[in-house]
Amino acid sequence: MENLIVNQPHSLASGKAATWTYRILTAFIVITMTIAGWMLLMRVGPNVEGVTHLGFPLYLCSILGVAKILAGVAIAQNRFPLIKEWAYAGYSFNLAGATASHVLAHDSVDKTITPAIILILLLSSYYLWKKQKQSINHEINKWNGTTN
């Protein structure tokens, strides 16, 4: 019992750090992708230039813009985890596709690395979200006297 009490503050501190890291990463992703979505819808900025430079039709900006905004809302909410999961997947496909497209088009490193870095941050946010859910489920099961 004494060991449990000694270790408890450390686990709480690491839990708080993980929670704040998740919140900051997720806020950055949601804000970045939502702004990108609005810029695509308004057809301004470097994202539109990137889409057309890669040879995609201009109307793709409208489709991607709406998808990015809706996915931002889905990731920001916590009520519907399946929708959130799909939004993470959608952003992942978008960012992986953007990275691959820039590599295959032999674009400069700065155009290629930006979506790759955002993808890494997105995957980190997703990992922390899943760990947080797993931890909450473990605590609920512990208090209910059940195990998985």
Side-chain angles (χ1 to χ4, degrees):
M1 183 70 169
E2 182 181 59
N3 210 8
L4 177 66
I5 294 171
V6 171
N7 289 334
Q8 192 174 11
H10 174 68
S11 65
L12 286 175
S14 62
K16 284 182 182 180
T19 299
W20 278 104
T21 303
Y22 162 74
R23 288 178 180 170
I24 290 167
L25 278 174
T26 304
F28 173 77
I29 293 296
V30 167
I31 291 167
T32 300
M33 297 298 275
T34 303
I35 289 171
W38 281 111
M39 290 175 71
L40 285 167
L41 280 177
M42 294 186 297
R43 304 232 170 124
V44 296
N47 291 353
V48 176
E49 293 165 15
V51 168
T52 56
H53 161 74
L54 292 169
F56 296 111
L58 195 57
Y59 66 81
L60 186 62
C61 292
S62 298
I63 297 167
L64 289 175
V66 170
K68 286 184 179 200
I69 293 167
L70 291 175
V73 171
I75 289 176
Q77 61 84 34
N78 286 317
R79 186 170 183 151
F80 303 104
L82 185 62
I83 293 173
K84 186 173 192 153
E85 189 104 25
W86 278 82
Y88 270 113
Y91 274 175
S92 297
F93 293 137
N94 174 257
L95 293 165
T99 303
S101 294
H102 285 296
V103 168
L104 294 171
H106 305 289
D107 282 341
S108 62
V109 173
D110 63 319
K111 287 184 180 179
T112 304
I113 199 136
T114 302
I117 290 171
I118 296 172
L119 177 60
I120 291 167
L121 296 174
L122 175 75
L123 295 175
S124 300
S125 168
Y126 176 78
Y127 173 80
L128 290 170
W129 173 59
K130 293 303 265 186
K131 280 300 208 187
Q132 191 177 45
K133 276 182 58 178
Q134 184 181 28
S135 176
I136 290 168
N137 288 339
H138 177 71
E139 288 298 317
I140 290 170
N141 289 337
K142 189 168 80 175
W143 283 100
N144 289 335
T146 60
T147 59
N148 286 340

